[in-house]
Amino acid sequence: MTDELPPEWDDEQLAYLHRTLMWHLLRFTSSPLSGPTDVLLVRGVLLPPERRGTTRIVLWDGRRPERSVAYDVPLVRPRGDNIPWSHLVAALRQVLVRPPAPDDTDPAGIPLADARRPVLDALDQVTFELGDALHASAAMLQPRGEPEDGSDLRLDGFLLLDDTTARLYVTAPDTAGRIGLDVSLLDPDGRVRAGNTALMAALPSLVPDELDGNRSSAEDPCAPAGVYDLTHW
């Protein structure tokens, strides 16, 4: 696969994509990225200087570092658009069912496999697990540093209600206590999804100004200010 990238991607933009993927891969340092027979944990996530537009993901069995294998995955498609981190994680998981064999070693001596083409191919038929959807829902309200004006929403907790819905426990400056937001983990076609950009963009205005029309009859002691049904988003 060629290392050439479309000219619109500068190094800082590519580094931002890499850092986003890296933060989301942190959860797999202690829970498997794949399994259950060949359990693989994330040992490291690197920005390889010799391959622009690529993230290097080092995987191991959690016991012996010498069994590690590094896989290079693409951050952008050949036509130039970036690949969402959620899709990269799911595509790599599918590739690891029949992983490409290492054909090189990285500077640290770890066997290295170029997984860019297999990952790109897997993106055309990527599927998500329920854990992906739960993680993405909670990550919609991930901390972004200390808010200076108190306007940021704050995630105080979350709970998987069933195999279609998660409840996010949120506080905001104008709410009379903690509220619960029920969000769907499925797309309009009923498939598990790992991201809801429309809801993510709407949340700041929905809380608390436009919630009244979404009030749920559910009662939850962890959400004394009420529960709201946003599963239609």
Short mmCIF file of all heavy atoms in Angstrom, two decimals, residues 141 152-159 166-183 203-212 214-216 218-230:
data_model
loop_
_atom_site.label_atom_id
_atom_site.label_comp_id
_atom_site.label_asym_id
_atom_site.label_seq_id
_atom_site.Cartn_x
_atom_site.Cartn_y
_atom_site.Cartn_z
N LEU A 141 -19.91 12.61 26.50
CA LEU A 141 -19.79 13.62 27.56
C LEU A 141 -18.47 13.48 28.30
O LEU A 141 -18.39 13.74 29.49
CB LEU A 141 -20.97 13.48 28.53
CG LEU A 141 -22.33 13.79 27.93
CD1 LEU A 141 -23.45 13.42 28.90
CD2 LEU A 141 -22.44 15.25 27.55
N ASP A 152 -20.38 23.56 30.67
CA ASP A 152 -20.26 22.19 30.17
C ASP A 152 -21.18 21.23 30.91
O ASP A 152 -21.42 21.37 32.12
CB ASP A 152 -18.82 21.69 30.32
CG ASP A 152 -17.91 22.23 29.23
OD1 ASP A 152 -18.37 23.05 28.41
OD2 ASP A 152 -16.75 21.83 29.22
N LEU A 153 -21.68 20.25 30.18
CA LEU A 153 -22.40 19.16 30.80
C LEU A 153 -21.39 18.24 31.49
O LEU A 153 -20.25 18.12 31.06
CB LEU A 153 -23.18 18.38 29.75
CG LEU A 153 -24.08 19.18 28.81
CD1 LEU A 153 -24.75 18.26 27.81
CD2 LEU A 153 -25.11 19.94 29.61
N ARG A 154 -21.83 17.57 32.55
CA ARG A 154 -20.94 16.68 33.28
C ARG A 154 -21.58 15.30 33.39
O ARG A 154 -22.73 15.17 33.83
CB ARG A 154 -20.63 17.22 34.67
CG ARG A 154 -19.59 16.38 35.42
CD ARG A 154 -19.21 17.01 36.73
NE ARG A 154 -20.32 16.98 37.67
CZ ARG A 154 -20.71 18.01 38.40
NH1 ARG A 154 -20.10 19.17 38.26
NH2 ARG A 154 -21.72 17.90 39.25
N LEU A 155 -20.84 14.28 32.97
CA LEU A 155 -21.31 12.92 33.09
C LEU A 155 -20.96 12.40 34.48
O LEU A 155 -19.80 12.31 34.84
CB LEU A 155 -20.66 12.04 32.02
CG LEU A 155 -21.06 10.56 32.03
CD1 LEU A 155 -22.52 10.39 31.64
CD2 LEU A 155 -20.16 9.76 31.07
N ASP A 156 -22.00 12.04 35.26
CA ASP A 156 -21.78 11.55 36.62
C ASP A 156 -21.89 10.03 36.71
O ASP A 156 -21.56 9.45 37.75
CB ASP A 156 -22.80 12.18 37.57
CG ASP A 156 -22.55 13.66 37.80
OD1 ASP A 156 -21.39 14.09 37.68
OD2 ASP A 156 -23.52 14.39 38.09
N GLY A 157 -22.39 9.39 35.66
CA GLY A 157 -22.52 7.95 35.69
C GLY A 157 -23.25 7.46 34.45
O GLY A 157 -23.76 8.26 33.66
N PHE A 158 -23.28 6.16 34.28
CA PHE A 158 -24.01 5.57 33.15
C PHE A 158 -24.39 4.15 33.51
O PHE A 158 -23.78 3.52 34.38
CB PHE A 158 -23.18 5.60 31.86
CG PHE A 158 -21.91 4.81 31.93
CD1 PHE A 158 -21.87 3.47 31.53
CD2 PHE A 158 -20.74 5.39 32.39
CE1 PHE A 158 -20.71 2.74 31.60
CE2 PHE A 158 -19.55 4.66 32.46
CZ PHE A 158 -19.54 3.34 32.07
N LEU A 159 -25.41 3.64 32.82
CA LEU A 159 -25.88 2.28 33.07
C LEU A 159 -26.47 1.71 31.79
O LEU A 159 -27.29 2.37 31.13
CB LEU A 159 -26.96 2.28 34.17
CG LEU A 159 -27.60 0.91 34.50
CD1 LEU A 159 -26.56 -0.03 35.10
CD2 LEU A 159 -28.78 1.09 35.43
N ALA A 166 -29.01 2.84 26.84
CA ALA A 166 -28.15 3.21 27.96
C ALA A 166 -28.71 4.47 28.61
O ALA A 166 -29.33 5.30 27.95
CB ALA A 166 -26.72 3.45 27.50
N ARG A 167 -28.49 4.59 29.91
CA ARG A 167 -28.89 5.81 30.63
C ARG A 167 -27.64 6.56 31.06
O ARG A 167 -26.76 6.00 31.73
CB ARG A 167 -29.76 5.48 31.83
CG ARG A 167 -30.23 6.72 32.64
CD ARG A 167 -31.34 6.35 33.62
NE ARG A 167 -32.53 5.91 32.88
CZ ARG A 167 -33.54 5.24 33.43
NH1 ARG A 167 -33.50 4.93 34.72
NH2 ARG A 167 -34.58 4.89 32.70
N LEU A 168 -27.56 7.83 30.67
CA LEU A 168 -26.46 8.69 31.05
C LEU A 168 -26.93 9.60 32.17
O LEU A 168 -27.97 10.26 32.05
CB LEU A 168 -25.99 9.53 29.85
CG LEU A 168 -25.69 8.79 28.55
CD1 LEU A 168 -25.25 9.78 27.48
CD2 LEU A 168 -24.63 7.72 28.77
N TYR A 169 -26.19 9.66 33.26
CA TYR A 169 -26.52 10.51 34.39
C TYR A 169 -25.72 11.80 34.27
O TYR A 169 -24.48 11.78 34.26
CB TYR A 169 -26.23 9.80 35.71
CG TYR A 169 -27.08 8.56 35.90
CD1 TYR A 169 -26.60 7.30 35.51
CD2 TYR A 169 -28.36 8.65 36.44
CE1 TYR A 169 -27.39 6.16 35.68
CE2 TYR A 169 -29.15 7.51 36.60
CZ TYR A 169 -28.65 6.28 36.22
OH TYR A 169 -29.43 5.16 36.38
N VAL A 170 -26.44 12.92 34.16
CA VAL A 170 -25.82 14.18 33.75
C VAL A 170 -26.23 15.30 34.70
O VAL A 170 -27.38 15.35 35.16
CB VAL A 170 -26.26 14.54 32.31
CG1 VAL A 170 -25.71 15.90 31.89
CG2 VAL A 170 -25.79 13.47 31.33
N THR A 171 -25.30 16.20 34.98
CA THR A 171 -25.63 17.46 35.65
C THR A 171 -25.22 18.60 34.73
O THR A 171 -24.26 18.49 33.96
CB THR A 171 -24.92 17.61 37.00
OG1 THR A 171 -23.51 17.46 36.82
CG2 THR A 171 -25.42 16.59 37.99
N ALA A 172 -25.99 19.68 34.82
CA ALA A 172 -25.73 20.87 34.03
C ALA A 172 -26.03 22.08 34.89
O ALA A 172 -26.74 21.98 35.91
CB ALA A 172 -26.60 20.87 32.77
N PRO A 173 -25.51 23.26 34.54
CA PRO A 173 -25.68 24.44 35.41
C PRO A 173 -27.13 24.75 35.76
O PRO A 173 -27.40 25.19 36.88
CB PRO A 173 -25.05 25.56 34.59
CG PRO A 173 -24.04 24.88 33.71
CD PRO A 173 -24.65 23.55 33.38
N ASP A 174 -28.08 24.54 34.85
CA ASP A 174 -29.45 24.97 35.08
C ASP A 174 -30.40 23.84 35.44
O ASP A 174 -31.62 24.03 35.44
CB ASP A 174 -29.98 25.69 33.84
CG ASP A 174 -29.19 26.96 33.55
OD1 ASP A 174 -28.73 27.59 34.53
OD2 ASP A 174 -29.02 27.31 32.37
N THR A 175 -29.88 22.65 35.72
CA THR A 175 -30.77 21.56 36.13
C THR A 175 -30.84 21.51 37.65
O THR A 175 -29.86 21.79 38.34
CB THR A 175 -30.27 20.20 35.60
OG1 THR A 175 -28.92 19.98 36.05
CG2 THR A 175 -30.31 20.15 34.08
N ALA A 176 -32.02 21.16 38.15
CA ALA A 176 -32.23 21.10 39.60
C ALA A 176 -31.78 19.74 40.12
O ALA A 176 -32.57 18.96 40.66
CB ALA A 176 -33.69 21.36 39.92
N GLY A 177 -30.53 19.44 39.94
CA GLY A 177 -30.00 18.14 40.34
C GLY A 177 -29.65 17.29 39.14
O GLY A 177 -29.73 17.72 37.98
N ARG A 178 -29.30 16.06 39.41
CA ARG A 178 -28.86 15.15 38.36
C ARG A 178 -30.05 14.62 37.57
O ARG A 178 -31.10 14.30 38.12
CB ARG A 178 -28.08 13.99 38.97
CG ARG A 178 -27.44 13.05 37.96
CD ARG A 178 -26.64 11.96 38.68
NE ARG A 178 -25.62 12.54 39.54
CZ ARG A 178 -25.67 12.50 40.87
NH1 ARG A 178 -26.68 11.91 41.48
NH2 ARG A 178 -24.72 13.05 41.59
N ILE A 179 -29.89 14.51 36.25
CA ILE A 179 -30.93 13.97 35.38
C ILE A 179 -30.42 12.71 34.68
O ILE A 179 -29.21 12.48 34.60
CB ILE A 179 -31.40 15.00 34.32
CG1 ILE A 179 -30.24 15.39 33.41
CG2 ILE A 179 -32.01 16.21 35.00
CD1 ILE A 179 -30.64 16.32 32.27
N GLY A 180 -31.35 11.90 34.19
CA GLY A 180 -31.00 10.72 33.42
C GLY A 180 -31.43 10.91 31.97
O GLY A 180 -32.55 11.35 31.70
N LEU A 181 -30.53 10.62 31.06
CA LEU A 181 -30.82 10.71 29.63
C LEU A 181 -30.75 9.32 29.04
O LEU A 181 -29.68 8.71 29.01
CB LEU A 181 -29.81 11.63 28.93
CG LEU A 181 -29.67 13.06 29.48
CD1 LEU A 181 -28.61 13.82 28.69
CD2 LEU A 181 -31.01 13.78 29.42
N ASP A 182 -31.88 8.81 28.57
CA ASP A 182 -31.90 7.50 27.93
C ASP A 182 -31.59 7.65 26.45
O ASP A 182 -32.26 8.41 25.74
CB ASP A 182 -33.27 6.84 28.11
CG ASP A 182 -33.51 6.40 29.54
OD1 ASP A 182 -32.57 6.47 30.35
OD2 ASP A 182 -34.65 5.98 29.85
N VAL A 183 -30.54 6.96 25.98
CA VAL A 183 -30.11 7.07 24.59
C VAL A 183 -30.09 5.69 23.95
O VAL A 183 -29.84 4.68 24.61
CB VAL A 183 -28.70 7.72 24.48
CG1 VAL A 183 -28.73 9.14 25.05
CG2 VAL A 183 -27.66 6.90 25.20
N LEU A 203 -26.95 17.80 22.25
CA LEU A 203 -27.01 17.70 23.71
C LEU A 203 -26.86 19.05 24.43
O LEU A 203 -27.63 19.34 25.36
CB LEU A 203 -25.95 16.72 24.22
CG LEU A 203 -26.39 15.26 24.34
CD1 LEU A 203 -25.23 14.40 24.79
CD2 LEU A 203 -27.56 15.11 25.30
N PRO A 204 -25.90 19.91 24.05
CA PRO A 204 -25.77 21.16 24.80
C PRO A 204 -27.04 22.01 24.79
O PRO A 204 -27.34 22.69 25.78
CB PRO A 204 -24.61 21.87 24.08
CG PRO A 204 -23.81 20.75 23.50
CD PRO A 204 -24.83 19.73 23.07
N SER A 205 -27.81 21.99 23.70
CA SER A 205 -29.03 22.79 23.65
C SER A 205 -30.22 22.04 24.25
O SER A 205 -31.17 22.66 24.72
CB SER A 205 -29.34 23.20 22.21
OG SER A 205 -29.54 22.05 21.39
N LEU A 206 -30.17 20.72 24.24
CA LEU A 206 -31.27 19.94 24.81
C LEU A 206 -31.27 19.99 26.33
O LEU A 206 -32.30 19.86 26.96
CB LEU A 206 -31.16 18.48 24.36
CG LEU A 206 -31.63 18.15 22.94
CD1 LEU A 206 -31.25 16.73 22.59
CD2 LEU A 206 -33.13 18.35 22.82
N VAL A 207 -30.12 20.17 26.91
CA VAL A 207 -30.01 20.17 28.36
C VAL A 207 -29.66 21.57 28.82
O VAL A 207 -28.58 22.07 28.53
CB VAL A 207 -28.91 19.19 28.82
CG1 VAL A 207 -28.82 19.16 30.33
CG2 VAL A 207 -29.14 17.80 28.26
N PRO A 208 -30.56 22.25 29.57
CA PRO A 208 -31.88 21.76 29.97
C PRO A 208 -33.03 22.41 29.18
O PRO A 208 -34.18 22.11 29.45
CB PRO A 208 -31.95 22.20 31.43
CG PRO A 208 -31.23 23.53 31.42
CD PRO A 208 -30.15 23.41 30.37
N ASP A 209 -32.72 23.30 28.23
CA ASP A 209 -33.74 24.17 27.65
C ASP A 209 -34.85 23.43 26.92
O ASP A 209 -36.00 23.86 26.94
CB ASP A 209 -33.08 25.16 26.69
CG ASP A 209 -32.11 26.09 27.40
OD1 ASP A 209 -32.29 26.26 28.63
OD2 ASP A 209 -31.21 26.64 26.76
N GLU A 210 -34.55 22.33 26.26
CA GLU A 210 -35.55 21.70 25.40
C GLU A 210 -35.89 20.27 25.82
O GLU A 210 -36.25 19.45 24.99
CB GLU A 210 -35.04 21.71 23.94
CG GLU A 210 -34.78 23.12 23.41
CD GLU A 210 -34.30 23.10 21.97
OE1 GLU A 210 -34.42 22.05 21.33
OE2 GLU A 210 -33.79 24.12 21.49
N LEU A 211 -35.81 19.99 27.10
CA LEU A 211 -36.04 18.63 27.56
C LEU A 211 -37.50 18.33 27.89
O LEU A 211 -37.88 17.16 27.94
CB LEU A 211 -35.19 18.34 28.80
CG LEU A 211 -33.72 17.99 28.53
CD1 LEU A 211 -33.00 17.79 29.85
CD2 LEU A 211 -33.59 16.75 27.67
N ASP A 212 -38.29 19.34 28.13
CA ASP A 212 -39.64 19.10 28.64
C ASP A 212 -40.45 18.14 27.78
O ASP A 212 -41.19 17.30 28.29
CB ASP A 212 -40.40 20.42 28.78
CG ASP A 212 -39.88 21.24 29.96
OD1 ASP A 212 -39.20 20.64 30.81
OD2 ASP A 212 -40.14 22.46 30.00
N ASN A 214 -39.47 15.66 26.24
CA ASN A 214 -38.88 14.33 26.23
C ASN A 214 -38.91 13.68 27.61
O ASN A 214 -38.21 12.69 27.83
CB ASN A 214 -37.42 14.40 25.74
CG ASN A 214 -37.30 14.94 24.33
OD1 ASN A 214 -37.59 14.25 23.37
ND2 ASN A 214 -36.88 16.19 24.20
N ARG A 215 -39.72 14.20 28.49
CA ARG A 215 -39.78 13.68 29.85
C ARG A 215 -40.29 12.24 29.85
O ARG A 215 -41.25 11.89 29.16
CB ARG A 215 -40.71 14.53 30.71
CG ARG A 215 -40.76 14.14 32.19
CD ARG A 215 -39.59 14.73 32.93
NE ARG A 215 -39.55 14.30 34.33
CZ ARG A 215 -39.22 15.09 35.33
NH1 ARG A 215 -38.91 16.35 35.10
NH2 ARG A 215 -39.18 14.64 36.56
N SER A 216 -39.63 11.36 30.59
CA SER A 216 -40.01 9.96 30.70
C SER A 216 -40.76 9.75 32.01
O SER A 216 -40.59 10.48 32.99
CB SER A 216 -38.77 9.08 30.66
OG SER A 216 -39.07 7.75 31.01
N ALA A 218 -40.26 7.14 33.74
CA ALA A 218 -39.37 6.34 34.57
C ALA A 218 -38.90 7.14 35.78
O ALA A 218 -38.68 8.36 35.70
CB ALA A 218 -38.17 5.87 33.75
N GLU A 219 -38.74 6.45 36.89
CA GLU A 219 -38.20 7.06 38.10
C GLU A 219 -36.89 6.38 38.45
O GLU A 219 -36.77 5.15 38.36
CB GLU A 219 -39.20 6.94 39.26
CG GLU A 219 -40.49 7.71 39.03
CD GLU A 219 -41.40 7.66 40.23
OE1 GLU A 219 -41.02 7.05 41.25
OE2 GLU A 219 -42.51 8.24 40.15
N ASP A 220 -35.92 7.19 38.84
CA ASP A 220 -34.59 6.66 39.13
C ASP A 220 -34.00 7.47 40.28
O ASP A 220 -33.83 8.68 40.16
CB ASP A 220 -33.71 6.77 37.88
CG ASP A 220 -32.36 6.09 38.03
OD1 ASP A 220 -31.88 5.96 39.16
OD2 ASP A 220 -31.78 5.70 37.00
N PRO A 221 -33.70 6.83 41.41
CA PRO A 221 -33.14 7.57 42.54
C PRO A 221 -31.79 8.21 42.24
O PRO A 221 -31.39 9.16 42.92
CB PRO A 221 -33.01 6.51 43.64
CG PRO A 221 -33.01 5.20 42.92
CD PRO A 221 -33.89 5.40 41.72
N CYS A 222 -31.12 7.70 41.22
CA CYS A 222 -29.83 8.29 40.83
C CYS A 222 -30.03 9.52 39.95
O CYS A 222 -29.05 10.21 39.63
CB CYS A 222 -28.97 7.27 40.10
SG CYS A 222 -28.39 5.92 41.13
N ALA A 223 -31.27 9.78 39.52
CA ALA A 223 -31.59 10.94 38.69
C ALA A 223 -32.78 11.66 39.32
O ALA A 223 -33.89 11.64 38.78
CB ALA A 223 -31.89 10.51 37.27
N PRO A 224 -32.59 12.31 40.48
CA PRO A 224 -33.71 12.92 41.20
C PRO A 224 -34.40 14.04 40.44
O PRO A 224 -35.57 14.35 40.72
CB PRO A 224 -33.07 13.43 42.49
CG PRO A 224 -31.61 13.57 42.17
CD PRO A 224 -31.32 12.49 41.19
N ALA A 225 -33.72 14.65 39.47
CA ALA A 225 -34.33 15.74 38.71
C ALA A 225 -35.09 15.24 37.49
O ALA A 225 -35.60 16.04 36.71
CB ALA A 225 -33.27 16.75 38.29
N GLY A 226 -35.18 13.91 37.32
CA GLY A 226 -36.00 13.37 36.24
C GLY A 226 -35.21 12.59 35.21
O GLY A 226 -33.99 12.73 35.07
N VAL A 227 -35.94 11.76 34.47
CA VAL A 227 -35.38 10.96 33.38
C VAL A 227 -36.00 11.43 32.07
O VAL A 227 -37.21 11.71 32.01
CB VAL A 227 -35.66 9.45 33.60
CG1 VAL A 227 -35.17 8.64 32.41
CG2 VAL A 227 -35.01 8.97 34.88
N TYR A 228 -35.19 11.51 31.03
CA TYR A 228 -35.66 12.00 29.73
C TYR A 228 -35.31 10.97 28.65
O TYR A 228 -34.24 10.38 28.66
CB TYR A 228 -35.01 13.35 29.43
CG TYR A 228 -35.41 14.40 30.45
CD1 TYR A 228 -34.69 14.55 31.63
CD2 TYR A 228 -36.53 15.21 30.23
CE1 TYR A 228 -35.04 15.48 32.58
CE2 TYR A 228 -36.90 16.15 31.18
CZ TYR A 228 -36.16 16.29 32.34
OH TYR A 228 -36.54 17.20 33.28
N ASP A 229 -36.26 10.79 27.74
CA ASP A 229 -36.13 9.77 26.70
C ASP A 229 -35.62 10.41 25.41
O ASP A 229 -36.33 11.15 24.73
CB ASP A 229 -37.49 9.12 26.46
CG ASP A 229 -37.43 7.98 25.45
OD1 ASP A 229 -36.31 7.72 24.93
OD2 ASP A 229 -38.47 7.36 25.19
N LEU A 230 -34.35 10.13 25.09
CA LEU A 230 -33.75 10.64 23.86
C LEU A 230 -33.46 9.51 22.88
O LEU A 230 -32.64 9.65 21.96
CB LEU A 230 -32.44 11.38 24.18
CG LEU A 230 -32.54 12.54 25.17
CD1 LEU A 230 -31.18 13.21 25.35
CD2 LEU A 230 -33.57 13.57 24.73
#
